[in-house]
Amino acid sequence: MNKFNRIFKKNKYKLYLLALLAIVLIFAGIFLKKKYEDMTMSKYSNDIVIIKGNGDELKSFSIKELKALGSNKTEVYINNGLEKVEVEGISLEKLIGNLDYNFRDRPTIEIEDNNGNATRYPMSVALEVDRIYLVYKIEGQPLLEYNPSYGTLAIIDTNSKSASSWITNVKTLNLQ
């Protein structure tokens, strides 16, 4: 024990500097990781989704604004429940719940993609907490880079077991 105390007293400043260096490196790594993620998403930051209320535009959000609203990471199944992937996006209840809009007169939400195809969800399902997500990242990669057929934004029902039920290339959410 005396040998340890003698070595510690002799080198305590070097140990303190080593600990401080380790802490600085950890923070620098976190900062660089965030900057790298921002750089990979920057080319998609201007892609928007438009929210309409009975045909009139209520609000539009870019991917950058969606991230600022507070994105969540969650795991969903693909390939008939055989594979689990982590997705990042914002839940629809959080996105459209903050719009100051009367949902009593609007029982459905229609989701339109780039090709003009529309899919309807009951508003009760869309506003269910953490069920339907507007996703822009899978496994830490932008959606378009993960699978080009998904586009830049996709609607994912966390209860589904397959990516075939996802609505890809999302452009418009119309509250009807």
Side-chain angles (χ1 to χ4, degrees):
M1 192 69 171
N2 271 343
K3 192 175 186 180
F4 176 73
N5 284 339
R6 205 170 335 139
I7 292 172
F8 178 73
K9 285 182 181 180
K10 194 175 192 181
N11 296 312
K12 71 179 176 183
Y13 294 111
K14 291 179 184 177
L15 291 173
Y16 289 144
L17 285 174
L18 184 64
L20 181 65
L21 178 65
I23 291 171
V24 167
L25 286 176
I26 289 171
F27 282 117
I30 292 170
F31 176 77
L32 290 175
K33 182 180 179 234
K34 180 158 177 40
K35 283 293 183 189
Y36 175 74
E37 287 176 358
D38 289 345
M39 283 180 7
T40 59
M41 285 300 293
S42 66
K43 55 186 155 186
Y44 307 110
S45 290
N46 294 327
D47 290 351
I48 63 169
V49 63
I50 299 168
I51 300 176
K52 295 180 178 182
N54 207 20
D56 299 328
E57 183 176 333
L58 298 175
K59 185 90 172 136
S60 63
F61 293 99
S62 67
I63 291 178
K64 188 175 185 178
E65 292 170 329
L66 291 173
K67 286 176 66 175
L69 285 175
S71 62
N72 295 331
K73 291 181 181 179
T74 190
E75 291 184 339
V76 296
Y77 288 99
I78 58 174
N79 297 334
N80 293 324
L82 298 175
E83 188 179 348
K84 193 184 252 188
V85 293
E86 184 181 70
V87 297
E88 185 176 340
I90 187 166
S91 67
L92 279 190
E93 59 91 13
K94 187 174 185 180
L95 181 65
I96 64 177
N98 294 332
L99 287 178
D100 191 30
Y101 193 72
N102 184 5
F103 296 109
R104 290 184 187 173
D105 300 335
R106 310 290 177 231
T108 61
I109 182 168
E110 184 180 73
I111 302 160
E112 189 176 325
D113 64 11
N114 277 348
N115 300 328
N117 301 325
T119 305
R120 291 177 176 234
Y121 275 107
M123 193 60 74
S124 60
V125 172
L127 293 177
E128 200 172 308
V129 177
D130 292 335
R131 177 159 177 195
I132 309 290
Y133 277 87
L134 180 61
V135 173
Y136 49 83
K137 270 187 180 182
I138 295 181
E139 294 293 326
Q141 294 180 328
L143 202 59
L144 190 63
E145 291 176 14
Y146 184 81
N147 186 340
S149 69
Y150 293 161
T152 54
L153 292 167
I155 295 285
I156 295 176
D157 185 350
T158 57
N159 290 345
S160 77
K161 300 288 184 198
S162 176
S164 63
S165 65
W166 295 359
I167 304 168
T168 56
N169 292 307
V170 173
K171 285 298 173 193
T172 307
L173 306 174
N174 192 0
L175 310 174
Q176 298 180 337

